[in-house]
Amino acid sequence: METKEYNCFFQLATDIIGGKWKSIVLWALKKDVKRNGELRKIIPNISQKMLTQQLRELEEAGVVDRIVYPVIPPKVEYKLTKSGEKLIPILEQLHDWGKEYAKDNKIDIIKDANCVIE
């Protein structure tokens, strides 16, 4: 991970997991190991290029492991590291807050693949 200067720990944390897709990728990996194609099915609106970029950034940050198997055709899987697993309770709290906020503000959530992993 490139060395950056941060003003606070919150800024560091949001730099690692912030953005539109990183937290959803982490959410998709919360239960078990996934292959690229599985992640694409779980997160259908993400492009392959963006998924690859997000996985690389999460791997560089040390929250996702990329497991490469020496077989032909190549087999690659992704899983959370110990550090990544520590994010899951935080993501679950965000999920629950979003659910409560939606209910309180009468916001309908279309049940899609991004949120079926509960």
Side-chain angles (χ1 to χ4, degrees), residues 33-76:
V33 174
K34 298 274 190 304
R35 294 182 73 178
N36 190 290
E38 293 173 296
L39 290 169
R40 287 292 311 276
K41 287 178 186 173
I42 294 168
I43 314 167
N45 297 332
I46 194 171
S47 69
Q48 181 59 56
K49 180 181 176 183
M50 182 57 69
L51 177 59
T52 300
Q53 178 183 333
Q54 300 301 285
L55 285 166
R56 283 185 183 149
E57 289 177 16
L58 290 166
E59 182 184 8
E60 187 177 307
V63 294
V64 168
D65 269 338
R66 181 174 186 260
I67 307 157
V68 181
Y69 297 92
V71 295
I72 296 176
K75 179 180 174 183
V76 178

mmCIF file of all heavy atoms in Angstrom, residues 33-76:
data_model
loop_
_atom_site.group_PDB
_atom_site.id
_atom_site.type_symbol
_atom_site.label_atom_id
_atom_site.label_comp_id
_atom_site.label_asym_id
_atom_site.label_seq_id
_atom_site.Cartn_x
_atom_site.Cartn_y
_atom_site.Cartn_z
ATOM 1 N N VAL A 33 -15.186 -18.156 0.807
ATOM 2 C CA VAL A 33 -14.317 -17.881 -0.333
ATOM 3 C C VAL A 33 -15.164 -17.806 -1.598
ATOM 4 O O VAL A 33 -16.117 -18.569 -1.759
ATOM 5 C CB VAL A 33 -13.268 -19.022 -0.454
ATOM 6 C CG1 VAL A 33 -12.420 -18.875 -1.688
ATOM 7 C CG2 VAL A 33 -12.412 -19.087 0.796
ATOM 8 N N LYS A 34 -14.804 -16.877 -2.488
ATOM 9 C CA LYS A 34 -15.555 -16.731 -3.738
ATOM 10 C C LYS A 34 -14.588 -16.616 -4.915
ATOM 11 O O LYS A 34 -13.506 -16.063 -4.798
ATOM 12 C CB LYS A 34 -16.409 -15.458 -3.718
ATOM 13 C CG LYS A 34 -17.468 -15.404 -2.641
ATOM 14 C CD LYS A 34 -18.730 -16.071 -3.085
ATOM 15 C CE LYS A 34 -19.905 -15.852 -2.164
ATOM 16 N NZ LYS A 34 -19.749 -16.226 -0.799
ATOM 17 N N ARG A 35 -15.034 -17.116 -6.049
ATOM 18 C CA ARG A 35 -14.310 -16.926 -7.302
ATOM 19 C C ARG A 35 -14.834 -15.664 -7.962
ATOM 20 O O ARG A 35 -15.889 -15.149 -7.605
ATOM 21 C CB ARG A 35 -14.505 -18.140 -8.211
ATOM 22 C CG ARG A 35 -13.860 -19.397 -7.603
ATOM 23 C CD ARG A 35 -13.999 -20.578 -8.487
ATOM 24 N NE ARG A 35 -13.092 -20.392 -9.623
ATOM 25 C CZ ARG A 35 -12.934 -21.279 -10.589
ATOM 26 N NH1 ARG A 35 -13.609 -22.419 -10.553
ATOM 27 N NH2 ARG A 35 -12.115 -21.057 -11.585
ATOM 28 N N ASN A 36 -14.102 -15.191 -8.949
ATOM 29 C CA ASN A 36 -14.466 -13.954 -9.634
ATOM 30 C C ASN A 36 -15.884 -14.017 -10.200
ATOM 31 O O ASN A 36 -16.664 -13.081 -10.038
ATOM 32 C CB ASN A 36 -13.443 -13.670 -10.738
ATOM 33 C CG ASN A 36 -13.609 -12.302 -11.340
ATOM 34 O OD1 ASN A 36 -14.578 -12.062 -12.040
ATOM 35 N ND2 ASN A 36 -12.671 -11.420 -11.069
ATOM 36 N N GLY A 37 -16.205 -15.099 -10.858
ATOM 37 C CA GLY A 37 -17.532 -15.247 -11.458
ATOM 38 C C GLY A 37 -18.652 -15.213 -10.428
ATOM 39 O O GLY A 37 -19.734 -14.674 -10.686
ATOM 40 N N GLU A 38 -18.397 -15.787 -9.263
ATOM 41 C CA GLU A 38 -19.390 -15.762 -8.187
ATOM 42 C C GLU A 38 -19.619 -14.332 -7.710
ATOM 43 O O GLU A 38 -20.757 -13.926 -7.450
ATOM 44 C CB GLU A 38 -18.938 -16.630 -7.019
ATOM 45 C CG GLU A 38 -18.899 -18.114 -7.324
ATOM 46 C CD GLU A 38 -18.281 -18.915 -6.199
ATOM 47 O OE1 GLU A 38 -17.081 -18.722 -5.904
ATOM 48 O OE2 GLU A 38 -19.021 -19.730 -5.604
ATOM 49 N N LEU A 39 -18.525 -13.585 -7.587
ATOM 50 C CA LEU A 39 -18.650 -12.186 -7.158
ATOM 51 C C LEU A 39 -19.435 -11.378 -8.184
ATOM 52 O O LEU A 39 -20.256 -10.537 -7.825
ATOM 53 C CB LEU A 39 -17.269 -11.568 -6.920
ATOM 54 C CG LEU A 39 -16.526 -12.098 -5.698
ATOM 55 C CD1 LEU A 39 -15.079 -11.619 -5.706
ATOM 56 C CD2 LEU A 39 -17.226 -11.674 -4.416
ATOM 57 N N ARG A 40 -19.217 -11.637 -9.457
ATOM 58 C CA ARG A 40 -19.955 -10.933 -10.518
ATOM 59 C C ARG A 40 -21.453 -11.233 -10.443
ATOM 60 O O ARG A 40 -22.276 -10.377 -10.701
ATOM 61 C CB ARG A 40 -19.432 -11.324 -11.901
ATOM 62 C CG ARG A 40 -18.090 -10.759 -12.285
ATOM 63 C CD ARG A 40 -18.060 -9.246 -12.506
ATOM 64 N NE ARG A 40 -19.082 -8.699 -13.365
ATOM 65 C CZ ARG A 40 -19.058 -8.635 -14.676
ATOM 66 N NH1 ARG A 40 -18.033 -9.107 -15.343
ATOM 67 N NH2 ARG A 40 -20.060 -8.107 -15.348
ATOM 68 N N LYS A 41 -21.818 -12.471 -10.075
ATOM 69 C CA LYS A 41 -23.238 -12.819 -9.932
ATOM 70 C C LYS A 41 -23.846 -12.130 -8.717
ATOM 71 O O LYS A 41 -24.993 -11.697 -8.750
ATOM 72 C CB LYS A 41 -23.413 -14.333 -9.816
ATOM 73 C CG LYS A 41 -23.201 -15.050 -11.125
ATOM 74 C CD LYS A 41 -23.332 -16.547 -10.955
ATOM 75 C CE LYS A 41 -22.981 -17.256 -12.255
ATOM 76 N NZ LYS A 41 -22.937 -18.701 -12.111
ATOM 77 N N ILE A 42 -23.093 -12.047 -7.647
ATOM 78 C CA ILE A 42 -23.583 -11.420 -6.426
ATOM 79 C C ILE A 42 -23.686 -9.910 -6.586
ATOM 80 O O ILE A 42 -24.580 -9.269 -6.035
ATOM 81 C CB ILE A 42 -22.658 -11.776 -5.236
ATOM 82 C CG1 ILE A 42 -22.753 -13.274 -4.936
ATOM 83 C CG2 ILE A 42 -23.010 -10.961 -4.001
ATOM 84 C CD1 ILE A 42 -21.678 -13.769 -3.985
ATOM 85 N N ILE A 43 -22.765 -9.341 -7.359
ATOM 86 C CA ILE A 43 -22.723 -7.889 -7.578
ATOM 87 C C ILE A 43 -22.890 -7.644 -9.086
ATOM 88 O O ILE A 43 -21.945 -7.281 -9.780
ATOM 89 C CB ILE A 43 -21.388 -7.290 -7.078
ATOM 90 C CG1 ILE A 43 -21.032 -7.816 -5.692
ATOM 91 C CG2 ILE A 43 -21.455 -5.769 -7.070
ATOM 92 C CD1 ILE A 43 -19.604 -7.530 -5.266
ATOM 93 N N PRO A 44 -24.097 -7.820 -9.620
ATOM 94 C CA PRO A 44 -24.288 -7.789 -11.072
ATOM 95 C C PRO A 44 -24.021 -6.431 -11.730
ATOM 96 O O PRO A 44 -23.711 -6.383 -12.917
ATOM 97 C CB PRO A 44 -25.745 -8.210 -11.249
ATOM 98 C CG PRO A 44 -26.396 -7.897 -9.955
ATOM 99 C CD PRO A 44 -25.339 -8.061 -8.905
ATOM 100 N N ASN A 45 -24.116 -5.343 -11.004
ATOM 101 C CA ASN A 45 -23.951 -4.026 -11.617
ATOM 102 C C ASN A 45 -22.509 -3.566 -11.709
ATOM 103 O O ASN A 45 -22.234 -2.511 -12.278
ATOM 104 C CB ASN A 45 -24.766 -2.981 -10.856
ATOM 105 C CG ASN A 45 -26.251 -3.263 -10.911
ATOM 106 O OD1 ASN A 45 -26.734 -3.861 -11.861
ATOM 107 N ND2 ASN A 45 -26.975 -2.853 -9.903
ATOM 108 N N ILE A 46 -21.576 -4.321 -11.179
ATOM 109 C CA ILE A 46 -20.164 -3.936 -11.226
ATOM 110 C C ILE A 46 -19.539 -4.481 -12.512
ATOM 111 O O ILE A 46 -19.815 -5.610 -12.908
ATOM 112 C CB ILE A 46 -19.397 -4.437 -9.973
ATOM 113 C CG1 ILE A 46 -18.032 -3.759 -9.860
ATOM 114 C CG2 ILE A 46 -19.265 -5.940 -9.984
ATOM 115 C CD1 ILE A 46 -17.319 -4.032 -8.535
ATOM 116 N N SER A 47 -18.728 -3.659 -13.169
ATOM 117 C CA SER A 47 -18.037 -4.133 -14.370
ATOM 118 C C SER A 47 -16.864 -5.023 -13.952
ATOM 119 O O SER A 47 -16.365 -4.934 -12.829
ATOM 120 C CB SER A 47 -17.520 -2.949 -15.188
ATOM 121 O OG SER A 47 -16.461 -2.295 -14.501
ATOM 122 N N GLN A 48 -16.414 -5.851 -14.874
ATOM 123 C CA GLN A 48 -15.274 -6.717 -14.586
ATOM 124 C C GLN A 48 -14.046 -5.885 -14.245
ATOM 125 O O GLN A 48 -13.301 -6.199 -13.318
ATOM 126 C CB GLN A 48 -14.978 -7.642 -15.764
ATOM 127 C CG GLN A 48 -13.818 -8.593 -15.513
ATOM 128 C CD GLN A 48 -14.045 -9.487 -14.298
ATOM 129 O OE1 GLN A 48 -15.044 -10.187 -14.234
ATOM 130 N NE2 GLN A 48 -13.139 -9.449 -13.340
ATOM 131 N N LYS A 49 -13.846 -4.807 -14.985
ATOM 132 C CA LYS A 49 -12.691 -3.932 -14.748
ATOM 133 C C LYS A 49 -12.731 -3.346 -13.340
ATOM 134 O O LYS A 49 -11.733 -3.334 -12.623
ATOM 135 C CB LYS A 49 -12.664 -2.813 -15.794
ATOM 136 C CG LYS A 49 -11.513 -1.864 -15.622
ATOM 137 C CD LYS A 49 -11.555 -0.761 -16.666
ATOM 138 C CE LYS A 49 -10.430 0.241 -16.418
ATOM 139 N NZ LYS A 49 -10.469 1.355 -17.346
ATOM 140 N N MET A 50 -13.908 -2.872 -12.928
ATOM 141 C CA MET A 50 -14.046 -2.271 -11.603
ATOM 142 C C MET A 50 -13.882 -3.324 -10.507
ATOM 143 O O MET A 50 -13.246 -3.067 -9.481
ATOM 144 C CB MET A 50 -15.396 -1.567 -11.472
ATOM 145 C CG MET A 50 -15.591 -0.868 -10.140
ATOM 146 S SD MET A 50 -14.336 0.361 -9.731
ATOM 147 C CE MET A 50 -14.683 1.629 -10.916
ATOM 148 N N LEU A 51 -14.458 -4.507 -10.704
ATOM 149 C CA LEU A 51 -14.309 -5.577 -9.716
ATOM 150 C C LEU A 51 -12.835 -5.934 -9.533
ATOM 151 O O LEU A 51 -12.356 -6.030 -8.403
ATOM 152 C CB LEU A 51 -15.106 -6.817 -10.134
ATOM 153 C CG LEU A 51 -14.973 -8.032 -9.214
ATOM 154 C CD1 LEU A 51 -15.419 -7.708 -7.784
ATOM 155 C CD2 LEU A 51 -15.767 -9.208 -9.768
ATOM 156 N N THR A 52 -12.124 -6.074 -10.625
ATOM 157 C CA THR A 52 -10.699 -6.388 -10.558
ATOM 158 C C THR A 52 -9.944 -5.293 -9.811
ATOM 159 O O THR A 52 -9.109 -5.575 -8.943
ATOM 160 C CB THR A 52 -10.119 -6.571 -11.976
ATOM 161 O OG1 THR A 52 -10.807 -7.653 -12.614
ATOM 162 C CG2 THR A 52 -8.632 -6.859 -11.939
ATOM 163 N N GLN A 53 -10.248 -4.047 -10.132
ATOM 164 C CA GLN A 53 -9.581 -2.919 -9.474
ATOM 165 C C GLN A 53 -9.859 -2.897 -7.977
ATOM 166 O O GLN A 53 -8.947 -2.733 -7.161
ATOM 167 C CB GLN A 53 -10.043 -1.608 -10.104
ATOM 168 C CG GLN A 53 -9.437 -0.376 -9.465
ATOM 169 C CD GLN A 53 -9.992 0.907 -10.083
ATOM 170 O OE1 GLN A 53 -10.410 0.936 -11.231
ATOM 171 N NE2 GLN A 53 -10.000 1.972 -9.299
ATOM 172 N N GLN A 54 -11.121 -3.110 -7.601
ATOM 173 C CA GLN A 54 -11.487 -3.082 -6.192
ATOM 174 C C GLN A 54 -10.832 -4.233 -5.431
ATOM 175 O O GLN A 54 -10.342 -4.056 -4.316
ATOM 176 C CB GLN A 54 -13.005 -3.127 -6.023
ATOM 177 C CG GLN A 54 -13.745 -1.962 -6.670
ATOM 178 C CD GLN A 54 -13.299 -0.618 -6.131
ATOM 179 O OE1 GLN A 54 -13.642 -0.220 -5.032
ATOM 180 N NE2 GLN A 54 -12.526 0.116 -6.916
ATOM 181 N N LEU A 55 -10.826 -5.423 -6.028
ATOM 182 C CA LEU A 55 -10.183 -6.569 -5.389
ATOM 183 C C LEU A 55 -8.689 -6.328 -5.202
ATOM 184 O O LEU A 55 -8.130 -6.642 -4.152
ATOM 185 C CB LEU A 55 -10.423 -7.836 -6.209
ATOM 186 C CG LEU A 55 -11.828 -8.431 -6.103
ATOM 187 C CD1 LEU A 55 -12.055 -9.456 -7.204
ATOM 188 C CD2 LEU A 55 -12.050 -9.049 -4.731
ATOM 189 N N ARG A 56 -8.048 -5.732 -6.198
ATOM 190 C CA ARG A 56 -6.612 -5.431 -6.085
ATOM 191 C C ARG A 56 -6.345 -4.440 -4.959
ATOM 192 O O ARG A 56 -5.389 -4.592 -4.195
ATOM 193 C CB ARG A 56 -6.078 -4.884 -7.400
ATOM 194 C CG ARG A 56 -5.858 -5.956 -8.431
ATOM 195 C CD ARG A 56 -5.221 -5.411 -9.681
ATOM 196 N NE ARG A 56 -5.100 -6.482 -10.676
ATOM 197 C CZ ARG A 56 -5.148 -6.283 -11.978
ATOM 198 N NH1 ARG A 56 -5.288 -5.074 -12.470
ATOM 199 N NH2 ARG A 56 -5.038 -7.304 -12.797
ATOM 200 N N GLU A 57 -7.174 -3.410 -4.875
ATOM 201 C CA GLU A 57 -6.992 -2.406 -3.825
ATOM 202 C C GLU A 57 -7.238 -3.008 -2.443
ATOM 203 O O GLU A 57 -6.499 -2.720 -1.493
ATOM 204 C CB GLU A 57 -7.905 -1.210 -4.068
ATOM 205 C CG GLU A 57 -7.476 -0.367 -5.255
ATOM 206 C CD GLU A 57 -8.411 0.792 -5.557
ATOM 207 O OE1 GLU A 57 -9.245 1.161 -4.689
ATOM 208 O OE2 GLU A 57 -8.310 1.353 -6.668
ATOM 209 N N LEU A 58 -8.244 -3.855 -2.320
ATOM 210 C CA LEU A 58 -8.516 -4.509 -1.037
ATOM 211 C C LEU A 58 -7.404 -5.492 -0.678
ATOM 212 O O LEU A 58 -7.034 -5.623 0.488
ATOM 213 C CB LEU A 58 -9.875 -5.211 -1.080
ATOM 214 C CG LEU A 58 -11.090 -4.282 -1.115
ATOM 215 C CD1 LEU A 58 -12.355 -5.047 -1.492
ATOM 216 C CD2 LEU A 58 -11.266 -3.564 0.214
ATOM 217 N N GLU A 59 -6.854 -6.154 -1.681
ATOM 218 C CA GLU A 59 -5.731 -7.063 -1.456
ATOM 219 C C GLU A 59 -4.499 -6.265 -1.023
ATOM 220 O O GLU A 59 -3.807 -6.641 -0.070
ATOM 221 C CB GLU A 59 -5.432 -7.845 -2.733
ATOM 222 C CG GLU A 59 -4.314 -8.845 -2.583
ATOM 223 C CD GLU A 59 -3.969 -9.551 -3.890
ATOM 224 O OE1 GLU A 59 -4.482 -9.179 -4.966
ATOM 225 O OE2 GLU A 59 -3.156 -10.493 -3.817
ATOM 226 N N GLU A 60 -4.245 -5.162 -1.695
ATOM 227 C CA GLU A 60 -3.101 -4.307 -1.353
ATOM 228 C C GLU A 60 -3.220 -3.762 0.066
ATOM 229 O O GLU A 60 -2.234 -3.644 0.782
ATOM 230 C CB GLU A 60 -3.020 -3.147 -2.352
ATOM 231 C CG GLU A 60 -1.792 -2.288 -2.200
ATOM 232 C CD GLU A 60 -1.738 -1.195 -3.255
ATOM 233 O OE1 GLU A 60 -1.837 -1.517 -4.451
ATOM 234 O OE2 GLU A 60 -1.598 -0.030 -2.861
ATOM 235 N N ALA A 61 -4.452 -3.478 0.484
ATOM 236 C CA ALA A 61 -4.690 -2.965 1.838
ATOM 237 C C ALA A 61 -4.596 -4.067 2.889
ATOM 238 O O ALA A 61 -4.563 -3.785 4.085
ATOM 239 C CB ALA A 61 -6.060 -2.288 1.905
ATOM 240 N N GLY A 62 -4.588 -5.325 2.453
ATOM 241 C CA GLY A 62 -4.449 -6.425 3.400
ATOM 242 C C GLY A 62 -5.744 -6.916 4.004
ATOM 243 O O GLY A 62 -5.739 -7.589 5.027
ATOM 244 N N VAL A 63 -6.881 -6.625 3.369
ATOM 245 C CA VAL A 63 -8.158 -7.091 3.900
ATOM 246 C C VAL A 63 -8.754 -8.240 3.073
ATOM 247 O O VAL A 63 -9.691 -8.889 3.512
ATOM 248 C CB VAL A 63 -9.187 -5.944 4.073
ATOM 249 C CG1 VAL A 63 -8.724 -4.975 5.138
ATOM 250 C CG2 VAL A 63 -9.446 -5.215 2.782
ATOM 251 N N VAL A 64 -8.185 -8.485 1.895
ATOM 252 C CA VAL A 64 -8.618 -9.593 1.045
ATOM 253 C C VAL A 64 -7.384 -10.347 0.587
ATOM 254 O O VAL A 64 -6.359 -9.746 0.258
ATOM 255 C CB VAL A 64 -9.413 -9.080 -0.183
ATOM 256 C CG1 VAL A 64 -9.618 -10.174 -1.220
ATOM 257 C CG2 VAL A 64 -10.764 -8.521 0.242
ATOM 258 N N ASP A 65 -7.483 -11.682 0.601
ATOM 259 C CA ASP A 65 -6.424 -12.541 0.075
ATOM 260 C C ASP A 65 -6.845 -13.065 -1.288
ATOM 261 O O ASP A 65 -8.003 -13.446 -1.490
ATOM 262 C CB ASP A 65 -6.193 -13.762 0.986
ATOM 263 C CG ASP A 65 -5.153 -13.515 2.045
ATOM 264 O OD1 ASP A 65 -4.304 -12.611 1.866
ATOM 265 O OD2 ASP A 65 -5.181 -14.236 3.057
ATOM 266 N N ARG A 66 -5.895 -13.095 -2.207
ATOM 267 C CA ARG A 66 -6.100 -13.676 -3.533
ATOM 268 C C ARG A 66 -5.358 -15.006 -3.532
ATOM 269 O O ARG A 66 -4.145 -15.058 -3.315
ATOM 270 C CB ARG A 66 -5.527 -12.741 -4.593
ATOM 271 C CG ARG A 66 -5.690 -13.225 -6.001
ATOM 272 C CD ARG A 66 -5.193 -12.118 -6.960
ATOM 273 N NE ARG A 66 -5.457 -12.463 -8.322
ATOM 274 C CZ ARG A 66 -4.554 -12.957 -9.155
ATOM 275 N NH1 ARG A 66 -3.305 -13.161 -8.753
ATOM 276 N NH2 ARG A 66 -4.876 -13.252 -10.399
ATOM 277 N N ILE A 67 -6.099 -16.080 -3.756
ATOM 278 C CA ILE A 67 -5.528 -17.425 -3.738
ATOM 279 C C ILE A 67 -5.474 -17.930 -5.178
ATOM 280 O O ILE A 67 -6.512 -18.062 -5.827
ATOM 281 C CB ILE A 67 -6.384 -18.376 -2.885
ATOM 282 C CG1 ILE A 67 -6.612 -17.780 -1.495
ATOM 283 C CG2 ILE A 67 -5.746 -19.749 -2.804
ATOM 284 C CD1 ILE A 67 -7.828 -18.324 -0.801
ATOM 285 N N VAL A 68 -4.278 -18.184 -5.662
ATOM 286 C CA VAL A 68 -4.089 -18.671 -7.031
ATOM 287 C C VAL A 68 -3.695 -20.137 -6.973
ATOM 288 O O VAL A 68 -2.732 -20.505 -6.309
ATOM 289 C CB VAL A 68 -2.995 -17.855 -7.762
ATOM 290 C CG1 VAL A 68 -2.824 -18.357 -9.184
ATOM 291 C CG2 VAL A 68 -3.318 -16.370 -7.746
ATOM 292 N N TYR A 69 -4.452 -20.975 -7.684
ATOM 293 C CA TYR A 69 -4.165 -22.404 -7.743
ATOM 294 C C TYR A 69 -3.393 -22.698 -9.028
ATOM 295 O O TYR A 69 -3.769 -22.214 -10.101
ATOM 296 C CB TYR A 69 -5.459 -23.218 -7.709
ATOM 297 C CG TYR A 69 -6.221 -23.033 -6.421
ATOM 298 C CD1 TYR A 69 -7.211 -22.057 -6.308
ATOM 299 C CD2 TYR A 69 -5.951 -23.823 -5.309
ATOM 300 C CE1 TYR A 69 -7.905 -21.883 -5.118
ATOM 301 C CE2 TYR A 69 -6.642 -23.661 -4.121
ATOM 302 C CZ TYR A 69 -7.617 -22.679 -4.039
ATOM 303 O OH TYR A 69 -8.299 -22.500 -2.866
ATOM 304 N N PRO A 70 -2.331 -23.499 -8.938
ATOM 305 C CA PRO A 70 -1.508 -23.796 -10.114
ATOM 306 C C PRO A 70 -2.142 -24.870 -11.001
ATOM 307 O O PRO A 70 -1.635 -25.987 -11.109
ATOM 308 C CB PRO A 70 -0.191 -24.275 -9.502
ATOM 309 C CG PRO A 70 -0.602 -24.902 -8.206
ATOM 310 C CD PRO A 70 -1.789 -24.104 -7.724
ATOM 311 N N VAL A 71 -3.262 -24.512 -11.617
ATOM 312 C CA VAL A 71 -3.957 -25.452 -12.499
ATOM 313 C C VAL A 71 -4.266 -24.758 -13.819
ATOM 314 O O VAL A 71 -4.211 -23.538 -13.916
ATOM 315 C CB VAL A 71 -5.275 -25.967 -11.855
ATOM 316 C CG1 VAL A 71 -4.988 -26.793 -10.621
ATOM 317 C CG2 VAL A 71 -6.217 -24.830 -11.529
ATOM 318 N N ILE A 72 -4.604 -25.564 -14.812
ATOM 319 C CA ILE A 72 -5.007 -25.016 -16.104
ATOM 320 C C ILE A 72 -6.412 -25.515 -16.375
ATOM 321 O O ILE A 72 -6.646 -26.723 -16.334
ATOM 322 C CB ILE A 72 -4.036 -25.465 -17.225
ATOM 323 C CG1 ILE A 72 -2.651 -24.891 -16.928
ATOM 324 C CG2 ILE A 72 -4.545 -25.009 -18.573
ATOM 325 C CD1 ILE A 72 -1.570 -25.330 -17.882
ATOM 326 N N PRO A 73 -7.376 -24.664 -16.652
ATOM 327 C CA PRO A 73 -7.268 -23.205 -16.678
ATOM 328 C C PRO A 73 -7.032 -22.645 -15.265
ATOM 329 O O PRO A 73 -7.349 -23.312 -14.274
ATOM 330 C CB PRO A 73 -8.618 -22.751 -17.226
ATOM 331 C CG PRO A 73 -9.557 -23.838 -16.876
ATOM 332 C CD PRO A 73 -8.742 -25.111 -16.887
ATOM 333 N N PRO A 74 -6.493 -21.426 -15.186
ATOM 334 C CA PRO A 74 -6.180 -20.834 -13.889
ATOM 335 C C PRO A 74 -7.417 -20.735 -12.991
ATOM 336 O O PRO A 74 -8.520 -20.466 -13.469
ATOM 337 C CB PRO A 74 -5.675 -19.431 -14.236
ATOM 338 C CG PRO A 74 -5.315 -19.487 -15.673
ATOM 339 C CD PRO A 74 -6.174 -20.534 -16.290
ATOM 340 N N LYS A 75 -7.207 -21.000 -11.737
ATOM 341 C CA LYS A 75 -8.283 -20.887 -10.748
ATOM 342 C C LYS A 75 -7.820 -19.898 -9.685
ATOM 343 O O LYS A 75 -6.751 -20.058 -9.094
ATOM 344 C CB LYS A 75 -8.586 -22.243 -10.108
ATOM 345 C CG LYS A 75 -9.676 -22.191 -9.061
ATOM 346 C CD LYS A 75 -9.926 -23.568 -8.455
ATOM 347 C CE LYS A 75 -10.918 -23.486 -7.307
ATOM 348 N NZ LYS A 75 -11.131 -24.778 -6.669
ATOM 349 N N VAL A 76 -8.638 -18.860 -9.460
ATOM 350 C CA VAL A 76 -8.322 -17.831 -8.475
ATOM 351 C C VAL A 76 -9.531 -17.662 -7.568
ATOM 352 O O VAL A 76 -10.672 -17.613 -8.041
ATOM 353 C CB VAL A 76 -7.984 -16.480 -9.151
ATOM 354 C CG1 VAL A 76 -7.705 -15.406 -8.119
ATOM 355 C CG2 VAL A 76 -6.802 -16.638 -10.088
#
